[in-house]
PDB file of all heavy atoms in Angstrom:
ATOM      1  N   PHE A1251      51.618  98.896   9.240  1.00 95.00           N
ATOM      2  CA  PHE A1251      51.519  99.518   7.922  1.00 95.00           C
ATOM      3  C   PHE A1251      52.878  99.996   7.398  1.00 95.00           C
ATOM      4  O   PHE A1251      52.961 100.466   6.264  1.00 95.00           O
ATOM      5  CB  PHE A1251      50.555 100.715   7.967  1.00 95.00           C
ATOM      6  CG  PHE A1251      49.128 100.358   7.673  1.00 95.00           C
ATOM      7  CD1 PHE A1251      48.222 100.149   8.688  1.00 95.00           C
ATOM      8  CD2 PHE A1251      48.692 100.214   6.363  1.00 95.00           C
ATOM      9  CE1 PHE A1251      46.905  99.824   8.437  1.00 95.00           C
ATOM     10  CE2 PHE A1251      47.371  99.890   6.084  1.00 95.00           C
ATOM     11  CZ  PHE A1251      46.472  99.684   7.122  1.00 95.00           C
ATOM     12  N   ASP A1252      53.911  99.876   8.205  1.00 93.00           N
ATOM     13  CA  ASP A1252      55.224 100.403   7.819  1.00 93.00           C
ATOM     14  C   ASP A1252      55.934  99.427   6.887  1.00 93.00           C
ATOM     15  O   ASP A1252      56.967  98.837   7.219  1.00 93.00           O
ATOM     16  CB  ASP A1252      56.072 100.672   9.064  1.00 93.00           C
ATOM     17  CG  ASP A1252      57.262 101.581   8.757  1.00 93.00           C
ATOM     18  OD1 ASP A1252      57.360 102.043   7.605  1.00 93.00           O
ATOM     19  OD2 ASP A1252      58.070 101.822   9.667  1.00 93.00           O
ATOM     20  N   SER A1253      55.357  99.248   5.712  1.00 90.00           N
ATOM     21  CA  SER A1253      55.925  98.345   4.698  1.00 90.00           C
ATOM     22  C   SER A1253      55.392  98.785   3.349  1.00 90.00           C
ATOM     23  O   SER A1253      54.781  99.850   3.215  1.00 90.00           O
ATOM     24  CB  SER A1253      55.524  96.888   5.001  1.00 90.00           C
ATOM     25  OG  SER A1253      54.123  96.757   5.002  1.00 90.00           O
ATOM     26  N   GLY A1254      55.593  97.967   2.329  1.00 90.00           N
ATOM     27  CA  GLY A1254      55.077  98.314   1.013  1.00 90.00           C
ATOM     28  C   GLY A1254      55.969  99.288   0.276  1.00 90.00           C
ATOM     29  O   GLY A1254      57.199  99.292   0.444  1.00 90.00           O
ATOM     30  N   SER A1255      55.375 100.146  -0.537  1.00 94.00           N
ATOM     31  CA  SER A1255      56.128 101.059  -1.381  1.00 94.00           C
ATOM     32  C   SER A1255      56.812 102.144  -0.555  1.00 94.00           C
ATOM     33  O   SER A1255      56.476 102.382   0.610  1.00 94.00           O
ATOM     34  CB  SER A1255      55.191 101.712  -2.399  1.00 94.00           C
ATOM     35  OG  SER A1255      54.246 102.539  -1.733  1.00 94.00           O
ATOM     36  N   VAL A1256      57.770 102.809  -1.178  1.00 95.00           N
ATOM     37  CA  VAL A1256      58.450 103.933  -0.527  1.00 95.00           C
ATOM     38  C   VAL A1256      57.431 105.014  -0.181  1.00 95.00           C
ATOM     39  O   VAL A1256      57.517 105.651   0.879  1.00 95.00           O
ATOM     40  CB  VAL A1256      59.547 104.509  -1.448  1.00 95.00           C
ATOM     41  CG1 VAL A1256      60.146 105.777  -0.849  1.00 95.00           C
ATOM     42  CG2 VAL A1256      60.642 103.472  -1.693  1.00 95.00           C
ATOM     43  N   LEU A1257      56.458 105.197  -1.060  1.00 95.00           N
ATOM     44  CA  LEU A1257      55.424 106.191  -0.819  1.00 95.00           C
ATOM     45  C   LEU A1257      54.667 105.867   0.468  1.00 95.00           C
ATOM     46  O   LEU A1257      54.469 106.744   1.326  1.00 95.00           O
ATOM     47  CB  LEU A1257      54.460 106.205  -2.007  1.00 95.00           C
ATOM     48  CG  LEU A1257      53.435 107.337  -2.065  1.00 95.00           C
ATOM     49  CD1 LEU A1257      54.111 108.659  -2.332  1.00 95.00           C
ATOM     50  CD2 LEU A1257      52.397 107.042  -3.150  1.00 95.00           C
ATOM     51  N   GLN A1258      54.261 104.621   0.636  1.00 97.00           N
ATOM     52  CA  GLN A1258      53.522 104.213   1.827  1.00 97.00           C
ATOM     53  C   GLN A1258      54.373 104.344   3.078  1.00 97.00           C
ATOM     54  O   GLN A1258      53.921 104.853   4.099  1.00 97.00           O
ATOM     55  CB  GLN A1258      53.035 102.767   1.673  1.00 97.00           C
ATOM     56  CG  GLN A1258      52.283 102.247   2.899  1.00 97.00           C
ATOM     57  CD  GLN A1258      51.630 100.903   2.652  1.00 97.00           C
ATOM     58  OE1 GLN A1258      51.254 100.582   1.534  1.00 97.00           O
ATOM     59  NE2 GLN A1258      51.483 100.105   3.703  1.00 97.00           N
ATOM     60  N   ARG A1259      55.629 103.901   3.009  1.00 96.00           N
ATOM     61  CA  ARG A1259      56.504 103.991   4.179  1.00 96.00           C
ATOM     62  C   ARG A1259      56.742 105.433   4.580  1.00 96.00           C
ATOM     63  O   ARG A1259      56.873 105.756   5.764  1.00 96.00           O
ATOM     64  CB  ARG A1259      57.835 103.285   3.904  1.00 96.00           C
ATOM     65  CG  ARG A1259      57.706 101.776   3.735  1.00 96.00           C
ATOM     66  CD  ARG A1259      59.040 101.080   3.931  1.00 96.00           C
ATOM     67  NE  ARG A1259      60.080 101.592   3.053  1.00 96.00           N
ATOM     68  CZ  ARG A1259      60.312 101.161   1.821  1.00 96.00           C
ATOM     69  NH1 ARG A1259      59.546 100.194   1.307  1.00 96.00           N
ATOM     70  NH2 ARG A1259      61.275 101.662   1.094  1.00 96.00           N
ATOM     71  N   GLY A1260      56.777 106.323   3.596  1.00 96.00           N
ATOM     72  CA  GLY A1260      56.950 107.740   3.908  1.00 96.00           C
ATOM     73  C   GLY A1260      55.778 108.282   4.711  1.00 96.00           C
ATOM     74  O   GLY A1260      55.969 109.010   5.693  1.00 96.00           O
ATOM     75  N   TRP A1261      54.575 107.944   4.284  1.00 96.00           N
ATOM     76  CA  TRP A1261      53.384 108.386   5.011  1.00 96.00           C
ATOM     77  C   TRP A1261      53.383 107.853   6.449  1.00 96.00           C
ATOM     78  O   TRP A1261      53.130 108.593   7.401  1.00 96.00           O
ATOM     79  CB  TRP A1261      52.122 107.889   4.302  1.00 96.00           C
ATOM     80  CG  TRP A1261      51.678 108.713   3.129  1.00 96.00           C
ATOM     81  CD1 TRP A1261      51.669 108.347   1.820  1.00 96.00           C
ATOM     82  CD2 TRP A1261      51.159 110.044   3.166  1.00 96.00           C
ATOM     83  NE1 TRP A1261      51.183 109.354   1.028  1.00 96.00           N
ATOM     84  CE2 TRP A1261      50.855 110.414   1.836  1.00 96.00           C
ATOM     85  CE3 TRP A1261      50.915 110.955   4.181  1.00 96.00           C
ATOM     86  CZ2 TRP A1261      50.313 111.652   1.493  1.00 96.00           C
ATOM     87  CZ3 TRP A1261      50.380 112.194   3.853  1.00 96.00           C
ATOM     88  CH2 TRP A1261      50.092 112.529   2.530  1.00 96.00           C
ATOM     89  N   VAL A1262      53.650 106.569   6.585  1.00 96.00           N
ATOM     90  CA  VAL A1262      53.579 105.932   7.903  1.00 96.00           C
ATOM     91  C   VAL A1262      54.659 106.480   8.826  1.00 96.00           C
ATOM     92  O   VAL A1262      54.413 106.739  10.014  1.00 96.00           O
ATOM     93  CB  VAL A1262      53.678 104.404   7.766  1.00 96.00           C
ATOM     94  CG1 VAL A1262      53.743 103.745   9.142  1.00 96.00           C
ATOM     95  CG2 VAL A1262      52.486 103.863   6.981  1.00 96.00           C
ATOM     96  N   THR A1263      55.858 106.678   8.298  1.00 95.00           N
ATOM     97  CA  THR A1263      56.945 107.233   9.118  1.00 95.00           C
ATOM     98  C   THR A1263      56.582 108.623   9.616  1.00 95.00           C
ATOM     99  O   THR A1263      56.832 108.973  10.783  1.00 95.00           O
ATOM    100  CB  THR A1263      58.244 107.290   8.297  1.00 95.00           C
ATOM    101  OG1 THR A1263      58.588 105.971   7.868  1.00 95.00           O
ATOM    102  CG2 THR A1263      59.387 107.855   9.136  1.00 95.00           C
ATOM    103  N   LEU A1264      55.975 109.412   8.754  1.00 92.00           N
ATOM    104  CA  LEU A1264      55.551 110.760   9.145  1.00 92.00           C
ATOM    105  C   LEU A1264      54.537 110.699  10.287  1.00 92.00           C
ATOM    106  O   LEU A1264      54.632 111.459  11.262  1.00 92.00           O
ATOM    107  CB  LEU A1264      54.959 111.469   7.935  1.00 92.00           C
ATOM    108  CG  LEU A1264      54.676 112.967   8.066  1.00 92.00           C
ATOM    109  CD1 LEU A1264      55.952 113.752   8.280  1.00 92.00           C
ATOM    110  CD2 LEU A1264      53.941 113.474   6.826  1.00 92.00           C
TER     111      LEU A1264
END
Side-chain angles (χ1 to χ4, degrees):
F1251 270 98
D1252 196 4
S1253 60
S1255 65
V1256 173
L1257 190 69
Q1258 178 171 331
R1259 293 199 304 273
W1261 279 113
V1262 174
T1263 300
L1264 190 64

